[in-house]
Structure formats: C-alpha cells, structure tokens
Amino acid sequence: MKINFSIHSQIISTVFYGFTMLAICSGCANQQPPGGGEEDKIPAKVRIISPKPNSIQFRGNSLIFEFDEYVDRRSFQDAFRISPQVKGDLEFEWGAKDVEVKFPTELYKIDPNRTFVVNISTGLKDIRGNSIAQAVNFAFSTGSKIDMGRIEGIAYNNNNKIIAVFAYDVNSSKGYDPSKNLPDYLTESSAEGIYSLTNLAPGKYRVISLLDDDRNLLFTAERESYGVLPFDVVIADSELVPNVNFYMKQISESVIQGEIDYSKFFKDSLGIIYTSIPKGSNVVLPDQSIYILFNQYRPAREDLISSFKLADENGTPEKVVFNWKNDSLVEIFSSDKYASNRKYILSFS
C-alpha cells in the first residue's frame, strides 16, 4: 500500500485480492477414452485453421480449430475466451477432432476496427485428462491493423500455480468493478508466474492478478488469492510496458465486521483497505492523524510496523506512532508535525 499525500497529499493503494473466471458451459456428448494400450500422457495440440493469427479485415462469423487427438469438449468450451468480450451467446459446432466457434453475428458489423485476442487456457484437456502444456493466444482484427500494446511481468509467490491476469479499460463506460464486470483483456501466467498481456489497444488499464479457482472471470471475496498494482498502466500505440509485477497474497482471514462507522472513509477498488484521506488530498493538516482500516485481511501488527515507511518528497523519513484501535483499525501520526507545503509518501508491504 502506498499513500502519497501532501500538506498536499495523494493516496494510491496496493492490496491483494483473490479472483475467479467465468467458464462458458454448454452441453456436449459423453466422451470416453478408448480402452487398452499404454496410458497416454501426451496432451493435445491445437492448430488454428481460421482465421490465421494476425489476420486483418476479418469478415467471418466463426473461428475454426483442429486438434491432433480427441479433446474433452466441455473443457474446450470452459477454456475458450475472447477479449474484448463478444455480446451474445457463442455456439460450438463439433466435428470429430475439430470445432467451429460461431459468433451471434459478424464481428465487423458491431466492432469494425477492433483487434480481438483469443485465449485457450491450460484448462483444455484431451479425453484422457491431459491438459495442454501452455495456453494458446492469437489475435485478429476486423480493421486494417492489429493492436500491438503489451504488458509483461511476473506474479510472485504463486506457488507454481497458474495465475489469471486481467486488464480493465479505466475509461470504459461500464466502469471498474471486478466483482461484477468481466475484464477487457485477459491472459494466464506460466507455472513460474510469468505472463504477457498482448494486443492491447492504446488506453489506460487497471491490471489485476488472481488465482482463478472457479474460472468465472469475476472477483469472489474472502477466498481467493490476488494482487493489484498501486498504479494504472497507460499503453501507447504498440508500446511494451515491462516489469509490471505482482505479489500474490493468500486470503486466510474471514471478513471482519467493522466496529466503527467507516462509511466516510475512502476505500480501494474492492473495499479491502479504507483510509481516512482520499486520493489527491491537499488539505491534510500538519498535526493530522491518518486512519487505515483493513476490512477483510488483517495483517499482523509486527508485519505492518516492520514494512511501514513514511517519508517526505526528499526521502527524509518521519518518526511514526501507531495507535491500534483494534486488529482491523490503526491510527497513524507523525511524532513531529508535518512540514507545510510538502509532499509525503506513506507505504507498506
């Protein structure tokens, strides 16, 4: 968490969430692996038939994939994602070892100059239960160019689990609420936590990482690990933004019922941390204290104190006093008064 404030002040919070992804489910025939022979441990390979990766001026209304062996059809439907999201229901028409994914209408009629990114996650399995080794990603465009914006980084402390990474267009009319709104772009990390969000349109994005247990593309509070950034990521045309890293925090505490009325506090984007000063505040007084409320995850007091830093714009540290109201609420104030007309940065892990 970082709070920049000044007697002149600004607040930017970093908190850690847990999230989930939406599995697109529909009925499929009962598939059984053939009997006899040695156990098959080789996962299926996916070949993109249409459109070819990085195609422009796309005028079709479907995508076609082919596999080198029989795959579990429901796992494909769960693993298939396209971003930005396509309005309406998708249809899956199966052959023996191929599938056609049909859109409700031709994409160019509703998004005539849009780059779409298709992701087939490692949830895709063959009929013997072998998951594909790595996610499949490719882009195509209904316009004359492919968007090439890119965000790369690592989700640390992922315990070798696959992490979902979501990007939300901050300027979108639907707003930002990961508990209700689907992401505009998404990808998966490797087992080592390395990820790459590709083919982003120019814009300003709020990016989050999460351990996606139920795969519904939405944040589920209290039970899933997450990571968010203390800043939004601005992407220019064809720009690569590297080293956008997350630290995954395991959610292990139950929701804490606040003992005070913090309705007037300023919360982070998912209501995990509340503070008594808002972003961009220029009215913090020299002797004013700052309250921090942990609405869901309670850090150990010694962990907060050991990582806590308060310094002015020149990096000069301030001596801090902690006044714990309870395990969820702490009052923080400088042992000396803040200097007038100076910016301060408050941060902790």
Side-chain angles (χ1 to χ4, degrees), residues 313-334:
E313 58 194 12
N314 299 315
T316 304
E318 291 282 324
K319 293 182 179 180
V320 176
V321 176
F322 295 86
N323 180 22
W324 291 90
K325 302 297 185 180
N326 54 52
D327 286 342
S328 305
L329 179 66
V330 60
E331 179 187 18
I332 298 161
F333 53 91
S334 174

Side-chain angles (χ1 to χ4, degrees), residues 55-59 105-116 140-147:
S55 295
I56 60 175
Q57 303 292 356
F58 177 70
R59 292 295 180 267
T105 187
E106 292 92 340
L107 293 183
Y108 75 93
K109 292 183 178 179
I110 53 176
D111 282 303
N113 291 290
R114 178 67 65 90
T115 295
F116 289 89
F140 64 92
S141 175
T142 56
S144 59
K145 59 173 288 188
I146 297 285
D147 290 325

